[in-house]
Amino acid sequence: MQERNSTWGGLDWPTIFIYLALVFMGWLNIYAAVYSDEHNSILDFTQRYGMQLVWIIFALAIALVIILIDRRVYFVFAYFFYGFAILMLISTLLFGRVVNGAHSWLQIGSVGIQPAEFAKFATILALAKLIGVYNFKILQPSSILKISIIILLPAFIIILQNDTGSAMVYGALILLLYREGIPNWFMLFLAFMVILFIL
């Protein structure tokens, strides 16, 4: 009971409330953007805003389950989640469908999912497990190699899917490593590469 209370007490509630407010306002904006007299009910599930509400509720349910699961489960199965995410990305590359020019959607029955979004979560878990090992030294060549593989492998597959926007998100993970001791010159090099890529 004490551990469960500490779980809820350890949450960043102001950030959560801001997030929920933004989600709610976004949902209202979708409703306002496509409003018509024929479909004026905000709970019309035949319309985009109605389905968006379903996905919002589904996402909140997943978030609740993630919070309630013991955090040690994530540490133990981090590499399993990562490996499964890589398999999903490869499956999407081979069997997925093209949406807006990106070969990044996997059709499962009547539901389409974008495995790249789940791969972000799995990559962060794998990176956290690697760095969380006792006496981990980030500047060792072997450590840099492992970190590079964990981050670049899913990013490379996503680039092959022609979804460069999602792949660029993985570059932000480098910023997390700054706290672990990545030298300043490496961050300057990364910034230079980003600017070069944009140009």
Side-chain angles (χ1 to χ4, degrees):
M1 180 64 70
Q2 184 177 358
E3 183 177 352
R4 182 62 53 84
N5 291 335
S6 65
T7 298
W8 293 107
L11 296 178
D12 187 353
W13 287 107
T15 301
I16 291 175
F17 285 130
I18 291 172
Y19 168 77
L20 292 176
L22 290 173
V23 169
F24 180 71
M25 288 187 293
W27 177 54
L28 290 181
N29 282 327
I30 294 174
Y31 172 69
V34 298
Y35 176 84
S36 67
D37 292 333
E38 295 180 8
H39 304 279
N40 56 8
S41 173
I42 198 170
L43 298 178
D44 187 348
F45 296 107
T46 64
Q47 300 301 306
R48 178 172 296 180
Y49 49 82
M51 287 306 301
Q52 191 68 29
L53 177 61
V54 172
W55 287 115
I56 290 172
I57 295 173
F58 182 67
L60 292 177
I62 292 177
L64 180 62
V65 171
I66 290 174
I67 291 173
L68 294 178
I69 293 176
D70 192 317
R71 67 188 69 177
R72 288 169 291 190
V73 172
Y74 300 113
F75 185 81
V76 172
F77 293 100
Y79 291 149
F80 171 79
F81 292 145
Y82 179 79
F84 182 73
I86 295 298
L87 289 177
M88 290 286 289
L89 289 175
I90 295 174
S91 298
T92 304
L93 184 62
L94 298 175
F95 310 110
R97 61 188 178 94
V98 178
V99 176
N100 295 327
H103 201 270
S104 58
W105 286 83
L106 197 61
Q107 194 72 28
I108 302 177
S110 60
V111 178
I113 63 171
Q114 193 173 13
E117 299 301 322
F118 298 98
K120 295 172 187 176
F121 173 73
T123 301
I124 292 172
L125 283 180
L127 196 60
K129 180 171 182 176
L130 176 66
I131 296 175
V133 174
Y134 177 73
N135 204 26
F136 176 82
K137 291 182 174 59
I138 196 169
L139 296 181
Q140 288 182 347
S142 60
S143 298
I144 295 176
L145 177 62
K146 292 175 183 177
I147 289 172
S148 299
I149 292 174
I150 288 176
I151 295 177
L152 295 179
L153 180 58
F156 178 71
I157 299 174
I158 293 172
I159 288 175
L160 292 179
Q161 296 174 356
N162 199 29
D163 190 5
T164 310
S166 294
M168 289 180 64
V169 174
Y170 289 82
L173 297 179
I174 304 295
L175 299 176
L176 301 177
L177 303 175
Y178 186 72
R179 294 184 58 202
E180 298 297 323
I182 287 290
N184 292 330
W185 65 263
F186 186 85
M187 300 304 295
L188 291 174
F189 174 76
L190 177 65
F192 171 76
M193 292 301 294
V194 170
I195 294 172
L196 184 64
F197 177 80
I198 293 174
L199 294 177

